[in-house]
């Protein structure tokens, strides 16, 4: 999907004989401006399905709502994990049912992170089958209650500040291979991160709110898309 508007001017006469105004010709010697490539150029929008992970003892409606095309997901640090007896942190997440080992796969959505959400992951690539001793994820994007909302890769590299209470687009493009693949992260179609993945695995995307902090955590999503090539 190309989010930019394309303006096209045509020659000819308007009704009534008035001449159609044309844009001025570029100055001699001026360097033409080439529009930046959209991250989805050359990709194909692909259907996908998902299941839900939420506190095992609650109904989905207790931690999720959907209205006007917006998914709202929230969780409390005191909530139960997604499975009874699990030692993992509480979450309300979409678990994408598109498992892959190789190929090019892209997660794409508009994201809104309410102020106060601290130490929560809102999107990740989880390695469901991976060699012993290797990490369980290829990447996680977390938000922290500093700098008006700071988005980091895990708890390290800062990718964005001022992220609270505003919509911004996030794309995660994964070029997976039988060896070490490459992950690129885009915010509002600008590349903010390129990193290697953690090596061979079967993996899938997840988005929602996975709370590693305290108190209440929330994330909202709209225009959720999946791309392949």
């Amino acid at each position: 999907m190309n989010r930019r508007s394309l303006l096209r001017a045509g020659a000819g006469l308007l009704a009534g004989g008035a001449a159609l105004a044309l844009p001025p010709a570029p100055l001699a010697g001026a360097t033409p401006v080439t529009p930046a490539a959209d991250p989805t150029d050359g990709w194909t929008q692909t259907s996908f399905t998902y299941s839900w992970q939420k506190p095992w003892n609650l109904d989905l409606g207790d931690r999720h709502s959907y209205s006007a095309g917006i998914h709202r997901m929230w969780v409390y640090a005191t909530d139960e994990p997604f499975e009874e007896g699990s030692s993992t942190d509480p979450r309300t997440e979409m678990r994408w049912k598109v498992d892959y080992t190789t190929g090019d796969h892209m997660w794409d959505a508009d994201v809104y992170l309410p102020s106060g959400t601290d130490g929560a992951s809102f999107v990740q690539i989880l390695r469901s089958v991976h060699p012993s001793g290797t990490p369980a994820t290829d990447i996680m994007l977390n938000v922290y209650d500093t700098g008006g909302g700071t988005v980091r890769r895990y708890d390290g590299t800062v990718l964005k500040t001022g992220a609270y209470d505003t919509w911004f687009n996030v794309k995660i493009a994964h070029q997976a291979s039988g060896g070490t693949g490459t992950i690129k992260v885009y915010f509002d179609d600008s590349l903010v991160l390129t990193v290697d993945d953690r090596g061979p695995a079967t993996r899938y995307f997840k988005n929602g709110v996975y709370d590693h902090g305290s108190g209440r955590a929330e994330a909202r999503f709209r225009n959720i898309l999946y791309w392949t090539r």
Side-chain angles (χ1 to χ4, degrees), residues 54-225:
K54 44 79 178 177
W56 67 265
N57 60 334
L58 297 177
D59 292 332
L60 179 61
D62 294 328
R63 294 293 183 266
H64 167 266
S65 70
Y66 180 75
S67 178
I70 297 172
H71 289 276
R72 291 181 61 219
M73 306 174 210
W74 64 95
V75 75
Y76 293 87
T78 54
D79 281 342
E80 292 291 320
F82 78 108
E83 290 181 336
E84 189 172 8
S86 171
S87 60
T88 59
D89 292 325
R91 71 190 75 187
T92 304
E93 292 181 302
M94 292 178 173
R95 188 272 198 224
W96 286 35
K97 299 177 75 173
V98 186
D99 292 32
Y100 64 93
T101 56
T102 60
D104 294 351
H105 306 262
M106 185 189 299
W107 181 94
D108 177 6
D110 298 329
V111 176
Y112 185 101
L113 304 169
S115 56
T117 299
D118 184 33
S121 302
F122 61 92
V123 61
Q124 59 180 296
I125 299 175
L126 192 137
R127 296 157 55 85
S128 56
V129 181
H130 55 94
S132 176
T134 63
T137 60
D138 282 309
I139 192 169
M140 299 174 82
L141 299 187
N142 299 347
V143 62
Y144 296 90
D145 194 8
T146 60
T150 297
V151 177
R152 296 175 178 266
R153 172 181 173 248
Y154 296 100
D155 59 358
T157 306
V158 173
L159 304 179
K160 183 179 179 65
T161 58
Y164 279 157
D165 304 325
T166 185
W167 286 102
F168 63 103
N169 180 261
V170 179
K171 292 180 175 70
I172 300 180
H174 188 190
Q175 185 177 6
S177 71
T180 299
T182 302
I183 296 170
K184 294 184 177 181
V185 178
Y186 300 85
F187 288 169
D188 293 324
D189 292 339
S190 294
L191 181 65
V192 296
L193 180 70
T194 302
V195 293
D196 290 340
D197 64 23
R198 266 69 184 286
T202 300
R203 64 265 288 183
Y204 55 84
F205 294 107
K206 298 180 72 179
N207 66 275
V209 60
Y210 182 24
D211 191 8
H212 312 293
S214 60
R216 185 182 188 277
E218 180 179 334
R220 304 173 194 175
F221 303 87
R222 67 184 185 190
N223 301 323
I224 305 172
L225 300 173

